[in-house]
Amino acid sequence: VTKRSVSPFDGLYALPGFPLTLLTVGQNVLTVVSFHYYSHKPPSVMVGIRPDNYSFKLLQEKRVFAVNLLRRDMVEVARQCGTITGRTQDKFARVGLTRAPATKIDGVLVAECPVSLECSVVHEVDFPSTHHWFVGKIEAAHVDDAYLREHALLYWMSEFRGVGELLLKDTSL
Ligand SMILES: Cc1cc2nc3c(=O)[nH]c(=O)nc-3n(C[C@H](O)[C@H](O)[C@H](O)COP(=O)(O)O)c2cc1C
């Protein structure tokens, strides 16, 4: 393999994609691709939020959030929740989403999403960057019985994608 040197940004561009989520904070919802698995024990995830978003201020106040996984047929919902701000209007009503009650955190879940993870902030990454990262311990998890991993929606650098084919299920790992 012969690799050409590219800019650090183009290195990022080469990444294939990440699960696209709707993050709920308080009564608000926003689209977030900066989402990652963090640890098995305790089960935890991390999310990156831009400080100019209304949800950033809410998250700093509340210290809890929920990750709601988008399905591959929810591209339009993702685009709307990712371009409208909840600072001045009810984004749920505007986009046509339904609030479902959270069980362990002070906040709501997105009823239309097949997976919702209720999280409390246990750590913040203190590094100057475009996104401020919050590590969230999963306090409660809700999964639709009909949900399969291949139903999830992925996104990166302007491209919305589905999940690729299963190559191997290695039960030794
Ligand atoms: C596909 C997509 C992915 C996004 N990912 C993020 C993200 O990871 N972090 C973030 O802070 N904003 C992200 N955004 C932008 C926010 O969703 C957007 O600024 C939103 O309007 C903020 O809403 P709020 O002001 O109600 O918090 C994304 C937008 C789109 C369309």
Side-chain angles (χ1 to χ4, degrees), residues 4-15 18 127 156-157:
R4 188 169 50 86
S5 283
V6 297
S7 69
F9 184 82
D10 283 344
L12 276 187
Y13 198 86
L15 300 176
F18 303 92
F127 173 71
W156 190 231
M157 300 276 184

Side-chain angles (χ1 to χ4, degrees), residues 18 65 74 130 151:
F18 303 92
F65 62 89
M74 296 172 85
T130 53
H151 296 166

Side-chain angles (χ1 to χ4, degrees), residues 20 28 30-34 48-50 53-55 78 81-86 91 131 155:
L20 193 57
N28 195 36
L30 82 161
T31 304
V32 164
V33 69
S34 311
I49 310 293
R50 292 205 306 253
N53 284 330
Y54 172 55
S55 304
C81 290
T83 48
I84 302 167
T85 181
K91 212 188 291 186
H131 292 60
Y155 176 84

